[in-house]
Amino acid sequence: MNEEPGPTPMAVLPTPMALPPLSLYVHFPWCVRKCPYCDFNSHALQGALPEADYVAALLRDLALQSPAVQGRSLQSIFLGGGTPSLFSPAALARLLDSVRGQLELAADVEVTLEANPGTIERGRFADYRSAGITRVSLGAQSFDSEQLQRLGRIHSAADTERAVAELHAAGLANFNLDLMYGLPQQTEGEALADIERALALQPAHISHYQLTLEPGTVFAGRPPPGMPDTDRSADMQLACQQRLADAGYLQYEVSAYARPGARCRHNLNYWQFGDYLGIGAGAHGKRSRLEQGRLLIERSAQAREPRRYLASLEAASLAAGRPQLTTHAVPGAELPFEFLLNALRLNEGFEEREFEERTGLAFALVAEGLGRAQQRGLVQCRGMRWCASAQGFNFLNDLLADFLPPAGLKAGRSLYTQQREAAPTN
């Protein structure tokens, strides 16, 4: 275990402090094939899937982290990856049953499963529902066969349509479709055609995000020809955004659109700066605790490589110790940026009291910077609520730059990367 010194005390506020809501993120690191654009902690499966060993490791991991729960119930569970749908319904049932045995779950807990349309067998979604899954996120990405090939996907548009038919048959109407735009050689009309194909499947939620060439990916090293420029991508986004609005899908976050009542509660907890336990290879977590009237916040990260993660849990079990979990206190100087990095992604923004309740800091620390952003037309203030303007949504990086921690841009990018891995887009 590599654990840094305890958290630095935050400012004591006159208002009563309370711990934020709590979620659970479970990472499944294996895929059939690594996509060339993907910078998440995923690994092409070599040989047999270590299903039983991995579920046992996850449960041991959860038991070791359970003190961070501090009496709270889980509001949501997200099974992300990688490709969690490589795991059988029976394995996920064992996992979820054991989670219920260890922790209290909210009566209306949301349990999301990420699934690849190319890994779903007939009848499997009904079994996943019986295992406790209440919501599914399908990685459609596109309905264009050439684009799916360029993206390295293992499924076809027909696979997505068959998977959605299975979802409806299983009574899992609360599902998300992941769609990408700004694809190589893509036109605005083609991006809209993907939206139309998605709408025909009647998802409750659509995640619509731009393909970006992330460092360390195959696409970053060998960019595909015909990538749209910034203006073309912006035109695609605006046209698709309008079509989704016309169809009754309300944008509530930069890349998230939902029918009324179908917003992803798990990701909302991230964006509202809630807490979450992270179990599984490479999983990140955020934990808060109260100490002498102060709110203390720390982040955690698991060993990324699956074999190393499994070995660390086995060693911890034999020694009755803790796994190879790296934790670090979040300095007070970084908290404003961390909070705003999440909260300003939401259309509704945040209230001043929410900043104080979730960071333990006085709102005055960010008031001046938000005032400057307001003068530049990047944020709006409605009473005590702050949110990004339409212009601010298009220039979020510029807006957030004014709140970067003292370490500067490098630290900001590190926080952004960690947030992306901890908070799936769907």
Side-chain angles (χ1 to χ4, degrees):
M1 180 183 69
N2 177 17
E3 189 160 354
E4 298 182 9
T8 302
M10 306 301 170
V12 180
L13 296 173
T15 54
M17 300 298 297
L19 291 175
L22 182 68
S23 295
L24 172 65
Y25 176 70
V26 187
H27 191 74
F28 296 82
W30 292 285
C31 290
V32 175
R33 181 197 302 164
K34 179 82 171 179
C35 296
Y37 59 85
C38 178
D39 68 333
F40 290 108
N41 184 38
S42 59
H43 306 261
L45 182 62
Q46 305 292 332
L49 183 71
E51 188 174 79
D53 288 345
Y54 195 71
V55 170
L58 290 173
L59 294 173
R60 173 63 177 163
D61 192 352
L62 181 63
L64 292 168
Q65 293 194 52
S66 59
V69 173
Q70 300 182 76
R72 291 172 286 180
S73 60
L74 292 181
Q75 304 302 305
S76 63
I77 302 172
F78 198 102
L79 311 181
T83 307
S85 54
L86 290 175
F87 282 67
S88 68
L92 297 189
R94 288 197 301 274
L95 171 67
L96 293 173
D97 286 345
S98 295
V99 171
R100 293 186 190 95
Q102 290 191 43
L103 304 177
E104 181 181 347
L105 274 59
D108 61 345
V109 64
E110 174 191 88
V111 185
T112 299
L113 170 72
E114 280 191 330
N116 187 315
T119 64
I120 297 301
E121 301 169 1
R122 186 170 182 80
R124 210 170 197 191
F125 278 132
D127 293 334
Y128 282 135
R129 183 184 180 188
S130 297
I133 301 301
T134 67
R135 183 178 182 274
V136 170
S137 179
L138 274 181
Q141 312 310 353
S142 177
F143 291 89
D144 184 297
S145 59
E146 291 184 3
Q147 291 291 5
L148 289 171
Q149 289 180 356
R150 291 188 186 109
L151 294 172
R153 303 296 294 178
I154 65 170
H155 72 274
S156 65
D159 289 329
T160 299
E161 291 166 347
R162 280 193 291 268
V164 169
E166 290 284 327
L167 284 169
H168 285 299
L172 281 168
N174 187 15
F175 69 92
N176 167 73
L177 289 179
D178 265 357
L179 284 179
M180 302 174 78
Y181 70 93
L183 303 178
Q185 304 174 38
Q186 188 178 44
T187 66
E188 182 178 313
E190 290 168 341
L192 282 167
D194 274 346
I195 294 292
E196 294 299 336
R197 293 283 293 273
L199 292 175
L201 300 178
Q202 300 181 307
H205 189 287
I206 291 177
S207 294
H208 189 240
Y209 54 98
Q210 183 178 353
L211 171 63
T212 54
L213 307 185
E214 299 291 347
T217 63
V218 172
F219 273 5
R222 297 193 301 273
M227 286 292 292
D229 60 24
T230 302
D231 290 340
R232 280 177 56 201
S233 292
D235 289 342
M236 289 182 204
Q237 179 188 21
L238 291 173
C240 293
Q241 184 177 16
Q242 184 59 57
R243 180 66 188 98
L244 287 167
D246 292 343
Y249 290 81
L250 304 179
Q251 184 186 28
Y252 67 98
E253 188 267 345
V254 170
S255 60
Y257 302 77
R259 288 177 170 174
R263 301 195 302 178
C264 177
R265 298 210 305 269
H266 186 85
N267 281 357
L268 274 173
N269 190 45
Y270 289 130
W271 296 321
Q272 293 170 345
F273 215 51
D275 278 0
Y276 48 94
L277 302 180
I279 63 173
H284 292 278
K286 170 184 172 286
R287 292 105 56 104
S288 304
R289 70 175 186 268
L290 294 173
E291 199 169 279
Q292 297 181 340
R294 296 180 174 89
L295 185 67
L296 309 175
I297 299 173
E298 65 181 15
R299 290 197 176 274
S300 64
Q302 303 281 4
R304 289 176 59 86
E305 205 281 321
R307 287 174 297 182
R308 185 179 171 194
Y309 171 77
L310 285 167
S312 75
L313 267 296
E314 182 179 357
S317 179
L318 292 173
R322 295 185 63 186
Q324 193 167 347
L325 181 71
T326 300
T327 64
H328 73 277
V330 182
E334 293 181 4
L335 279 172
F337 177 81
E338 284 214 25
F339 178 90
L340 295 174
L341 175 68
N342 289 279
L344 288 177
R345 293 182 63 89
L346 291 170
N347 278 31
E348 64 190 26
F350 66 97
E351 291 186 6
E352 295 178 7
R353 63 168 181 81
E354 292 172 336
F355 175 86
E356 296 189 339
E357 289 172 356
R358 297 296 165 88
T359 66
L361 303 173
F363 179 76
L365 290 173
V366 294
E368 184 178 343
L370 288 170
R372 289 193 298 267
Q374 185 179 24
Q375 291 175 353
R376 295 163 59 197
L378 298 179
V379 299
Q380 298 172 339
C381 180
R382 303 178 184 131
M384 305 291 279
R385 178 169 289 279
W386 293 81
C387 62
S389 65
Q391 182 183 4
F393 264 119
N394 293 330
F395 297 98
L396 266 180
N397 288 342
D398 293 338
L399 169 55
L400 290 167
D402 205 29
F403 301 94
L404 279 170
L409 187 59
K410 183 177 180 180
R413 283 178 175 163
S414 175
L415 289 170
Y416 173 70
T417 300
Q418 182 168 313
Q419 287 297 94
R420 287 186 68 250
E421 292 208 347
T425 57
N426 40 18

